[in-house]
Amino acid sequence: MKKLKVFFNAMVIALFALLIGAGFSTQTAHAEKTYQIGTDVTFPPFEFANNQNKYVGIDIDLMKAIAKDQGFKVNIKPIGFNAAVQATQSGQIDGVIAGMNITPERAQTFDFSKPYYKSGVVMAVKQGGSVKDLNQLRGKKVAVKTGTSGAAYANSIKNKYGFKVVTFDDSSNMYQDVLTGNSAACFEDEPVMKYSIKQGTKLAIVTKPADSGSYGFAVDKGKNKVLLAKFNKGLANLQKNGEYKKIVDHYLESKGTNAGSSDHTFWGILKQNKGFLWNGFLQTLWLSIVSIFFATLFGVIVGLLGVLPYKFFQGLSSTIIYIFRGLPLLVLALFIYTGIPTLTGTKIPAFIAGVVTLMFNEGAYIAAFVRGGINSVDSGQMEAARSLGLPFSKSMFKVILPQGIKLIIPSFINQFIITLKDTSILSIIGILELTQTGKIIIARNLEGFKVWTIVALIYLIVITLLTWLSKWGERRTRL
């Protein structure tokens, strides 16, 4: 009993320290007047990872140049367009620069800077394909990227031309859908599409730019007015002294800016990106370990509540398990990362949000098999212990729980395997785990099949090792 209490206390202290540390780092960043700026991860030439896996692009370089000109610091957070927009709205970050078109609808939610780039939407098809214009799209599917001007334009004309819109979270998957023939065309901003084609994407632009719009830096409505003013002033200075033109020309006029290794074999891709993939794997593993640690605490407590001889606690346990097993992991992650900060005004770091998400989700499953494991012990065991004069608590921890644990261990290891796989969903809130790492590499080298094969093999190797461990644990418990 004492050991169990010490274990629980250690978990609570660890969680408290993790939250305090996150809060301290946030306060420190604020004290240094460093602005947290969100951006996309796969939107070249505006933002992408180069062959050294460092984020570059027009938006990135422009933001850094303006920060230098105006004397402030920026921490660029490549979390994806959707996550960046939602994080700005919830106050998790200070602003977003991600090729974001200034529209009347967005202006109701965000305050925009002065435009820093003007663009238009074009339609691209597979090279040598049969589709040459909008009239040939009837009855077909077209691919778009969530939240972009290309998506807005496609949705505005889909009824007129009779096509169906398929939405993706990043450009590379959108292009791949066209290249594989699943979609007949895609809609993308002209400079982005031209740049991708220049870098080797086998697509062809077949329409003139339409629905022209301007990109702007955005902050939440009524917030960060000082930052917005500094951006506008810095942009004007860069345009005046010629630095702005240098940045734009570097990516749009020069050749091979995004070029990586010429070796696009499996081994060449792995060799070039081994450090990046290793860091993504470590993030996945660390996230899994921390999450399963706190999920165990949460799950054991909730599971034990379910076997107490009180209907209230049994009902509470069943309700918690029902809620967190019923919520999709993606919805839970977005609710914790963006929903709660919107309501409370308190920032939650992405890693903490990811841990809490997995703690609730995986903990609910752990609670279910903890409760089931204890209930599977013959009821006569409890009756015998009580007849010997042992109170309920001692009967539970001295007699019932040790027997139940033998049944729980294999399920616990299996849950760790599930947690490891579920971390991939957390890329939606910008955690740079293994899956997100794969997306970033693909955006640069356009080798989707090879990169996903490498990522899949990494997952399979780790999961195979954990499966062997599970079987070993199961055999041990039978002895």
Side-chain angles (χ1 to χ4, degrees):
M1 181 71 176
K2 289 183 178 179
K3 290 182 178 180
L4 192 59
K5 287 182 177 178
V6 171
F7 178 66
F8 285 170
N9 289 336
M11 286 187 168
V12 172
I13 291 170
L15 178 59
F16 181 76
L18 194 63
L19 293 171
I20 291 295
F24 178 77
S25 64
T26 301
Q27 292 173 0
T28 302
H30 180 72
E32 294 175 352
K33 295 183 179 179
T34 299
Y35 292 103
Q36 308 297 318
I37 307 298
T39 190
D40 204 349
V41 292
T42 59
F43 197 59
F46 291 91
E47 45 266 341
F48 60 95
N50 63 14
N51 56 350
Q52 283 81 43
N53 292 313
K54 293 184 179 181
Y55 283 95
V56 295
I58 294 173
D59 286 350
I60 307 293
D61 291 6
L62 183 61
M63 192 74 231
K64 290 180 177 179
I66 290 174
K68 183 178 180 180
D69 181 83
Q70 292 297 300
F72 63 89
K73 297 179 181 179
V74 290
N75 179 22
I76 304 293
K77 301 175 75 67
I79 57 179
F81 184 80
N82 285 335
V85 168
Q86 294 179 59
T88 302
Q89 289 179 286
S90 63
Q92 293 279 60
I93 57 178
D94 299 303
V96 53
I97 183 167
M100 189 174 180
N101 268 283
I102 303 172
T103 66
E105 293 78 13
R106 288 173 175 168
Q108 295 177 11
T109 307
F110 298 97
D111 287 329
F112 281 96
S113 67
K114 293 180 180 178
Y116 67 85
Y117 193 87
K118 189 173 182 180
S119 179
V121 177
V122 294
M123 184 178 84
V125 300
K126 184 178 180 180
Q127 291 180 6
S130 60
V131 176
K132 301 297 181 182
D133 58 49
L134 293 168
N135 294 313
Q136 294 177 291
L137 294 177
R138 187 164 299 278
K140 295 181 171 63
K141 293 189 295 183
V142 302
V144 298
K145 181 179 173 181
T146 308
T148 61
S149 56
Y153 177 67
N155 281 304
S156 71
I157 64 170
K158 65 180 181 181
N159 292 332
K160 179 181 178 180
Y161 292 100
F163 60 79
K164 182 180 179 181
V165 173
V166 182
T167 305
F168 295 90
D169 284 331
D170 55 74
S171 299
S172 57
N173 283 333
M174 177 179 69
Y175 301 155
Q176 193 62 36
D177 203 57
V178 179
L179 292 172
T180 56
N182 292 325
S183 292
C186 63
F187 289 90
E188 182 68 283
D189 286 8
E190 182 185 27
V192 179
M193 195 70 257
K194 283 185 174 180
Y195 187 84
S196 296
I197 291 173
K198 185 174 68 175
Q199 298 302 325
T201 304
K202 304 299 182 182
L203 297 176
I205 297 173
V206 293
T207 63
K208 294 181 179 180
D211 199 30
S212 296
S214 298
Y215 294 167
F217 169 67
V219 298
D220 197 24
K221 195 75 173 178
K223 307 284 180 65
N224 286 309
K225 293 181 179 179
V226 174
L227 173 60
L228 195 62
K230 288 181 178 180
F231 184 94
N232 285 330
K233 187 176 180 180
L235 176 62
N237 290 343
L238 295 183
Q239 289 173 333
K240 186 177 180 179
N241 63 26
E243 184 66 20
Y244 170 85
K245 188 176 185 304
K246 287 182 181 178
I247 292 173
V248 173
D249 288 349
H250 175 69
Y251 291 99
L252 296 184
E253 301 299 330
S254 61
K255 294 182 179 180
T257 306
N258 192 31
S261 170
S262 58
D263 187 357
H264 279 209
T265 62
F266 279 99
W267 176 247
I269 293 171
L270 182 60
K271 185 177 180 181
Q272 181 190 352
N273 299 285
K274 60 182 179 182
F276 199 37
L277 288 166
W278 175 248
N279 289 336
F281 168 72
L282 289 180
Q283 181 76 327
T284 295
L285 189 61
W286 177 235
L287 184 61
S288 301
I289 292 171
V290 175
S291 299
I292 202 69
F293 180 81
F294 291 112
T296 301
L297 169 63
F298 178 74
V300 168
I301 292 174
V302 174
L304 289 176
L305 288 176
V307 298
L308 292 177
Y310 304 101
K311 289 187 176 180
F312 171 78
F313 291 115
Q314 292 176 4
L316 179 63
S317 174
S318 297
T319 301
I320 292 173
I321 292 171
Y322 174 78
I323 291 173
F324 290 112
R325 285 205 306 185
L327 282 174
L329 191 60
L330 181 64
V331 174
L332 184 60
L334 290 172
F335 175 77
I336 292 172
Y337 183 64
T338 63
I340 292 178
T342 300
L343 294 174
T344 64
T346 302
K347 295 181 180 181
I348 303 177
F351 185 84
I352 299 297
V355 169
V356 173
T357 298
L358 292 174
M359 179 186 76
F360 285 141
N361 182 266
E362 313 302 336
Y365 286 93
I366 291 174
F369 65 66
V370 165
R371 186 177 62 181
I374 293 174
N375 286 333
S376 66
V377 178
D378 193 301
S379 59
Q381 296 287 319
M382 176 63 78
E383 294 173 2
R386 297 302 299 274
S387 67
L388 293 174
L390 292 175
F392 177 83
S393 59
K394 282 192 175 181
S395 298
M396 176 61 68
F397 287 100
K398 295 289 187 180
V399 179
I400 305 301
L401 200 55
Q403 297 180 63
I405 286 175
K406 289 185 177 182
L407 303 171
I408 291 169
I409 288 176
S411 298
F412 176 81
I413 298 176
N414 287 333
Q415 198 60 41
F416 183 77
I417 295 172
I418 294 171
T419 303
L420 183 74
K421 293 189 291 186
D422 283 347
T423 57
S424 62
I425 296 176
L426 298 179
S427 61
I428 192 68
I429 61 174
I431 296 179
L432 192 58
E433 41 66 66
L434 190 56
T435 302
Q436 185 81 326
T437 300
K439 290 180 182 179
I440 294 168
I441 295 171
I442 292 168
R444 180 180 65 250
N445 63 20
L446 307 174
E447 293 287 353
F449 172 76
K450 294 175 182 177
V451 173
W452 287 131
T453 299
I454 292 171
V455 171
L457 286 173
I458 294 173
Y459 274 115
L460 282 174
I461 290 170
V462 177
I463 289 170
T464 299
L465 293 175
L466 289 173
T467 301
W468 289 347
L469 179 62
S470 175
K471 291 180 179 179
W472 176 83
E474 190 173 355
R475 288 196 301 269
R476 295 286 295 177
T477 56
R478 291 175 180 173
L479 298 179

